[in-house]
Amino acid sequence: MHTAHITIMGLGNLLWADEGFGVRAAEQLFARYQLPANVDVVDGGTQGLLLLPYVEEADRLILFDAIDFGLTPGTLKVYRDDAVPAYLTAKKMSLHQTGFSEVLALADLKGNLPGQIVLIGVQPVQLEDYGGSLTDAVRAQLEPAIQLAVQQLQDWGVSLSPRQDDDRLNHASLDMQRYEDERPSAELACRIGDDRVLQGEG
């Protein structure tokens, strides 16, 4: 009997505030639960077409991402199957969404699209804060997003147990608390550009 291969993928960029939601959700789910061998958790970041092999080998795919649904900032939404590519291409916030919508289209063209796709997305509050972490409204949706993924896994017959080791998805230097604690002040790291460059001539 074939055991379905399930991939959980966090998309986004940790360096741009709420763009990091998908990766942070994947990190926390991985850190919290011991998953069976048929379930992989992937930091998809902004890798675009390089993610095609991960998508093609999955029978079922769960995506975490920050998506501009045009809703109230901080709103959490779930979309499934045919609706997922439509929302990834409706209003692109960043290049990674363009790349990943192409990944799904290419997998579909090759006949290797996962049989079931679930997108767990949040409406971002802030995307222009370079080096910033998640805003409070988006951070508050991490736990509900993880629980939605856990429920979906359980609906697919996946047994979850608490992680017994301290294994992590990403390097310790990317830990959210450490990332926030070690962020330079605005005075030390200008986040809007250098005045010498921004000043107009004359």
Side-chain angles (χ1 to χ4, degrees), residues 1 5 8 12 20-21 27 40-42 53 64 71 73 89 92 96 119 124 129 133 135 145 149 162 184 188-189:
M1 180 178 175
H5 184 181
I8 303 165
F21 171 81
E27 284 178 340
D40 290 326
V41 182
V42 177
F64 291 115
L71 301 174
T89 56
K92 302 178 186 68
H96 87 259
L119 168 64
D129 184 14
S133 193
T135 59
L188 290 175

Side-chain angles (χ1 to χ4, degrees), residues 51-107:
L51 298 173
L52 181 61
Y54 296 98
V55 171
E56 289 188 305
E57 69 182 12
D59 297 304
R60 294 167 176 164
L61 178 65
I62 296 176
L63 300 170
F64 291 115
D65 200 2
I67 302 286
D68 189 352
F69 301 110
L71 301 174
T72 303
T75 301
L76 193 66
K77 293 285 287 185
V78 179
Y79 292 94
R80 301 175 187 278
D81 301 322
D82 292 344
V84 173
Y87 274 93
L88 285 173
T89 56
K91 186 175 181 183
K92 302 178 186 68
M93 301 184 310
S94 65
L95 290 176
H96 87 259
Q97 284 171 6
T98 305
F100 199 75
S101 62
E102 291 173 350
V103 168
L104 294 180
L106 186 54

Side-chain angles (χ1 to χ4, degrees), residues 100-142:
F100 199 75
S101 62
E102 291 173 350
V103 168
L104 294 180
L106 186 54
D108 190 19
L109 185 66
K110 295 173 67 180
N112 295 328
L113 195 67
Q116 292 176 281
I117 306 174
V118 178
L119 168 64
I120 302 172
V122 70
Q123 177 75 37
V125 176
Q126 173 64 265
L127 298 173
E128 302 302 321
D129 184 14
Y130 182 69
S133 193
L134 304 182
T135 59
D136 290 344
V138 168
R139 185 193 304 266
Q141 296 294 2
L142 280 174

